Amino acid sequence: MKHDFFFDVAHMLAGGLVLVSFLMLYQDRLYALINVFALHAFVLALSVAWQAFIQDAPHLYVTAVIALGFKAIVIPVALHRIVERLGIHREIETVVNIGVTMLGGIGLVALAMVVMLRVTPTADALAREDLAFALSVLLLGLLMMVTRRNAVSQVIGFMSLENGLILAATGAKGMPLVVEISVAFSVLIAFIVIGIFLFRIRERFDTVDLQALDSFRGDSE
Amino acid sequence: MNLGPFDPVVAILAIPAGAAILLALLPGYLATSRLNVLASFSTFVSAFTLFFAPHRQSQFFLIDDVNIVFVTLTTFVAFTTSVFSASYIGHELESGRLTPVYLRFYHAMYQVLMLAMNLALVANNIGLMWVAIEMATLTTVLMVGIYRTPAAIEAAWKYFILGSVGIALALFGTILVYMAARPTVGEGLDAMAWTTLVAHASTFDPALLNVAFVFLLLGYGTKVGLAPLHAWLPDAHAEGPTPISAVLSGLLLNVALYALLRFKLLMATNPGAIATGSLMVAMGLLSVVFASFMLYRRRDIKRLFAYSSIEHMGIITFAFGMGGPLANFAGLLHMTMHSLTKSAIFFAVGHISQIKGTQKIADIRGLTETHPILGWGLVLSVVAIAGLPPLGIFMSEFLVVTSTFAREPALAIILVFGVILALGALFLRLNSVAFGEPTGSRAPSQASYVPMYAHLALVTIAGIYLPPPLVTWFQHVARLLG
């Protein structure tokens, strides 16, 4: 029975991550979106720590700490400051309306379940459900990136997508290089978020709305 | 041959790493651009010694006949591009588009990119390979945005978003491959080591491998620039510094393709897996036809050749997708010829757009009259890239087409249609750029013609006479690729 308890908690945390992904889909204010993303990263950190515990893999605690410290605290704080400094705490412009987006999200989760559960009948129950949840989080992140125009929310969409990957990597028992991969991703995100792009875009356009960028397409006649 | 304590694998990784640190610290243009050339040259020489070094495999690195070809081609084009870059960047500094601080950054990033590409090619671990390709993506994103113009930032942003989604999907595929391998290979590094995976792939769960390959194809296919995942490619080529366009087209696309080929090999050893070749054939053909149509609508000269890169990557992917010794041979040859020719084109285009001060095709006319050496160089390279005899690309395209005709005539007809369509578009544009009433600046250029004509000479020689050792080597690799 003890094993079942371990499984249930892991299951709950991974499922919670999918739920928080849905929460992010319908946030229409940037501050709220950033807060929900911090929650997303926090749930991920718990889930990774739990995996580290049940797999008896101490190196995964490093990944959990990175998720907690970097993605649940440092990045949200930095994003808050950027949003504040740029003065863009108004409504998010969504390309598709929220109802349709949510329906699309439900469809994607169903797709993820069908695909992953069908191809992994031999894997152990924990790993296959983790993979299905991870693919759902990944697809929801992707959905968020395509339905948003705003640079900050696109970055948040990308980060939630990446959280799904970390979930998959930690769920795959004994996978090497997980810590290295999560560090590589953090570097990628740090590069993008903290600096260069948002500041450059701000500097050149006084807006982080990517629609403003569209007019500069080189091939317009 | 015994090379003593010299280890080429360490050298091709350590030289770029060391050079990147030095170049980030050293000031001045002349010394650093020479150091960049020197570092690239020594990397190339080290890579060449791989031919004589014994094959080997460890948990992280692998040297076999397949990746030696890729490493040598990569380091060679990187070396000639660094020579071109030295004169190109000098002009950019004079015209004030780049500041000395950005120059340091540019040179350091150039070497980091070399490091990342070499690492991706010699990695034996699929996780390490992924990290290296991610690193290469990141450095090129930064270099594409280096001019900080609105268009450059848009291009870099688009490249970053699409490239990141691509590598994220590739990582998911990599995790799935690990999951498939774990039951038979066991946990730990072995289940991600390339050599172990291939040895045991026949026992993996085919359903899981199939899903993994779809993710890998989408992920790395984005980096190869296959339609419909190509949207980042034309912007990134057009807005970054031209040496980076040359490296992107000539090398980085190949590296991503190499990753795809490795996984194709893995799938081929599993009897229950889907036919990966047909997926690659479909995407390749789509890219060829799509890019050929798009070529007609280009107004920007660098975008024009970026679409031509999509077309040629499509042909290469198609050839490898067809598989078999002959088609693989043709694919390898085409990849080599395309890398050499396309970088030669970007060398020419880089100098041309600097002299004329524009990348708009309509504003560049009569080049053969005002700048005969550059103009005729461009004419020759476009003739080569369009696939006219007797140049190298004609031969490789001919091989692709004939080997396909023997097996799938319908596919060959679509391919020929795409290639001829592209030829028409390229000549239409070439005619207005190279001939006619000259416009724009007639100032003499201080271009370095050596890299461009060196590449063209190689392509011409290859079209007329392929040295037998090279043929044997390519045939051998083609057989390995299955």
Side-chain angles (χ1 to χ4, degrees):
Chain A
M1 285 317 281
K2 201 157 181 256
H3 177 81
D4 284 348
F5 172 68
F6 286 159
F7 174 80
D8 288 342
V9 172
H11 203 191
M12 183 190 80
L13 289 171
L17 208 58
V18 178
L19 211 60
V20 180
S21 282
F22 269 108
L23 284 183
M24 290 208 302
L25 274 185
Y26 68 79
Q27 299 305 321
D28 56 2
R29 306 216 163 240
L30 274 181
Y31 281 143
L33 183 64
I34 295 168
N35 292 341
V36 178
F37 172 72
L39 177 66
H40 200 264
F42 177 69
V43 176
L44 176 76
L46 283 183
S47 168
V48 173
W50 187 254
Q51 291 282 357
F53 173 62
I54 58 178
Q55 290 179 22
D56 203 14
H59 63 274
L60 287 184
Y61 286 118
V62 179
T63 307
V65 169
I66 291 174
L68 185 67
F70 185 70
K71 280 191 283 191
I73 298 169
V74 175
I75 288 286
V77 170
L79 284 177
H80 260 282
R81 298 193 61 174
I82 289 172
V83 170
E84 196 177 325
R85 199 169 292 169
L86 302 183
I88 47 168
H89 37 272
R90 49 182 167 74
E91 264 196 34
I92 298 170
E93 299 157 62
T94 46
V95 178
V96 188
N97 80 38
I98 283 170
V100 177
T101 312
M102 294 298 278
L103 280 179
I106 293 169
L108 288 177
V109 172
L111 178 76
M113 296 293 161
V114 170
V115 170
M116 289 320 301
L117 295 182
R118 191 162 292 175
V119 299
T120 51
T122 52
D124 56 299
L126 179 56
R128 62 190 285 228
E129 305 213 341
D130 241 17
L131 266 186
F133 282 134
L135 183 59
S136 312
V137 174
L138 192 153
L139 292 176
L140 289 175
L142 212 56
L143 180 68
M144 180 150 162
M145 287 177 83
V146 298
T147 53
R148 306 274 168 141
R149 283 265 160 174
N150 182 299
V152 171
S153 36
Q154 282 197 341
V155 170
I156 291 179
F158 177 67
M159 288 190 294
S160 74
L161 183 158
E162 185 244 321
N163 283 353
L165 286 171
I166 300 292
L167 181 71
T170 50
K173 198 156 170 273
M175 179 161 152
L177 295 175
V178 175
V179 180
E180 287 81 352
I181 285 170
S182 62
V183 170
F185 259 128
S186 304
V187 170
L188 184 85
I189 289 170
F191 255 103
I192 305 306
V193 172
I194 297 180
I196 306 163
F197 281 99
L198 293 180
F199 281 99
R200 280 184 180 181
I201 291 172
R202 159 96 177 104
E203 186 181 291
R204 296 285 173 178
F205 304 102
D206 287 324
T207 171
V208 283
D209 190 331
L210 288 178
Q211 220 152 18
L213 290 175
D214 283 346
S215 55
F216 292 102
R217 291 190 57 109
D219 263 338
S220 49
E221 287 168 41
Chain B
M1 192 168 124
N2 188 9
L3 296 167
F6 175 76
D7 184 341
V9 179
V10 173
I12 62 170
L13 300 176
I15 294 172
I21 296 169
L22 271 181
L23 287 167
L25 298 174
L26 292 176
Y29 151 69
L30 215 56
T32 50
S33 61
R34 282 184 186 156
L35 179 61
N36 193 31
V37 174
L38 182 70
S40 307
F41 181 68
S42 8
T43 315
F44 167 59
V45 173
S46 316
F48 195 72
T49 59
L50 280 174
F51 278 105
F52 311 106
H55 291 181
R56 56 152 175 196
Q57 55 190 68
S58 63
Q59 276 196 315
F60 289 107
F61 299 113
L62 166 75
I63 293 296
D64 63 7
D65 290 334
V66 179
N67 62 14
I68 289 179
V69 175
F70 281 81
V71 172
T72 315
L73 181 66
T74 301
T75 49
F76 175 71
V77 177
F79 159 58
T80 49
T81 308
S82 72
V83 176
F84 160 69
S85 158
S87 77
Y88 180 87
I89 291 298
H91 187 282
E92 297 295 276
L93 277 178
E94 278 170 27
S95 66
R97 285 183 85 189
L98 275 180
T99 60
V101 179
Y102 275 97
L103 176 75
R104 267 198 235 180
F105 178 72
Y106 165 84
H107 274 146
M109 281 298 145
Y110 189 87
Q111 290 298 328
V112 174
L113 176 62
M114 296 310 132
L115 167 69
M117 290 197 295
N118 289 340
L119 183 63
L121 292 173
V122 297
N124 189 21
N125 182 296
I126 54 176
L128 187 65
M129 184 162 86
W130 178 84
V131 171
I133 291 181
E134 190 223 297
M135 192 158 95
T137 309
L138 192 58
T139 51
T140 41
V141 167
L142 292 171
M143 286 203 279
V144 165
I146 204 168
Y147 287 140
R148 310 182 62 185
T149 59
I153 291 169
E154 191 208 349
W157 180 263
K158 204 167 171 183
Y159 180 27
F160 160 66
I161 292 289
L162 288 170
S164 310
V165 170
I167 55 177
L169 294 178
L171 177 61
F172 195 73
T174 308
I175 294 172
L176 290 182
V177 171
Y178 169 78
M179 290 289 290
R182 205 188 48 176
T184 36
V185 183
E187 287 172 18
L189 277 172
D190 276 347
M192 287 185 102
W194 175 254
T195 36
T196 337
L197 287 177
V198 169
H200 294 87
S202 54
T203 59
F204 295 171
D205 178 19
L208 199 53
L209 268 189
N210 290 345
V211 176
F213 186 78
V214 170
F215 278 100
L216 290 165
L217 182 67
L218 289 178
Y220 289 130
T222 310
K223 303 264 345 156
V224 181
L226 295 176
L229 310 165
H230 66 279
W232 62 273
L233 195 145
D235 295 73
H237 277 67
E239 306 307 338
T242 312
I244 299 315
S245 315
V247 176
L248 267 176
S249 253
L251 305 177
L252 193 58
L253 306 185
N254 290 352
V255 173
L257 186 67
Y258 165 81
L260 215 51
L261 282 180
R262 283 281 185 199
F263 285 106
K264 177 175 178 273
L265 270 182
L266 183 75
M267 300 288 289
T269 50
N270 188 308
I274 40 169
T276 51
S278 49
L279 287 177
M280 288 172 75
V281 164
M283 282 184 91
L285 269 189
L286 182 67
S287 307
V288 173
V289 175
F290 173 79
S292 304
F293 275 113
M294 294 305 278
L295 279 173
Y296 283 89
R297 295 190 55 216
R298 296 309 102 193
R299 304 279 177 276
D300 179 306
I301 191 160
K302 279 167 84 178
R303 263 169 215 272
L304 178 77
F305 291 116
Y307 274 97
S308 153
S309 287
I310 299 177
E311 182 221 337
H312 284 279
M313 291 320 282
I315 297 176
I316 300 165
T317 311
F318 175 84
F320 284 128
M322 288 302 291
L326 191 56
N328 280 339
F329 178 86
L332 272 177
L333 188 64
H334 196 75
M335 188 187 79
T336 314
M337 291 301 128
H338 172 248
S339 290
L340 293 173
T341 317
K342 191 50 68 62
S343 37
I345 286 185
F346 277 115
F347 298 163
V349 167
H351 287 309
I352 290 166
S353 58
Q354 278 184 337
I355 294 164
K356 300 286 185 188
T358 178
Q359 291 178 198
K360 281 215 169 73
I361 294 174
D363 297 345
I364 308 172
R365 293 189 149 277
L367 265 178
T368 45
E369 205 165 308
T370 53
H371 301 88
I373 309 180
L374 266 182
W376 285 109
L378 183 73
V379 171
L380 188 60
S381 350
V382 174
V383 166
I385 205 82
L388 289 193
L391 293 131
I393 287 191
F394 167 74
M395 192 160 81
S396 53
E397 276 181 359
F398 183 76
L399 277 174
V400 176
V401 170
T402 46
S403 66
T404 312
F405 253 119
R407 291 156 65 187
E408 298 283 347
L411 295 181
I413 289 169
I414 305 176
L415 184 68
V416 171
F417 169 72
V419 168
I420 291 176
L421 207 61
L423 184 142
L426 287 170
F427 278 175
L428 205 65
R429 297 281 169 253
L430 177 69
N431 192 26
S432 75
V433 168
F435 307 105
E437 194 63 28
T439 56
S441 163
R442 287 160 178 269
S445 68
Q446 300 127 13
S448 62
Y449 303 111
V450 182
M452 176 173 76
Y453 278 101
H455 281 200
L456 287 177
L458 285 176
V459 172
T460 315
I461 293 169
I464 298 164
Y465 170 73
L466 269 184
L470 191 71
V471 175
T472 336
W473 187 272
F474 273 17
Q475 276 170 344
H476 173 60
V477 174
R479 270 195 301 277
L480 287 180
L481 287 173

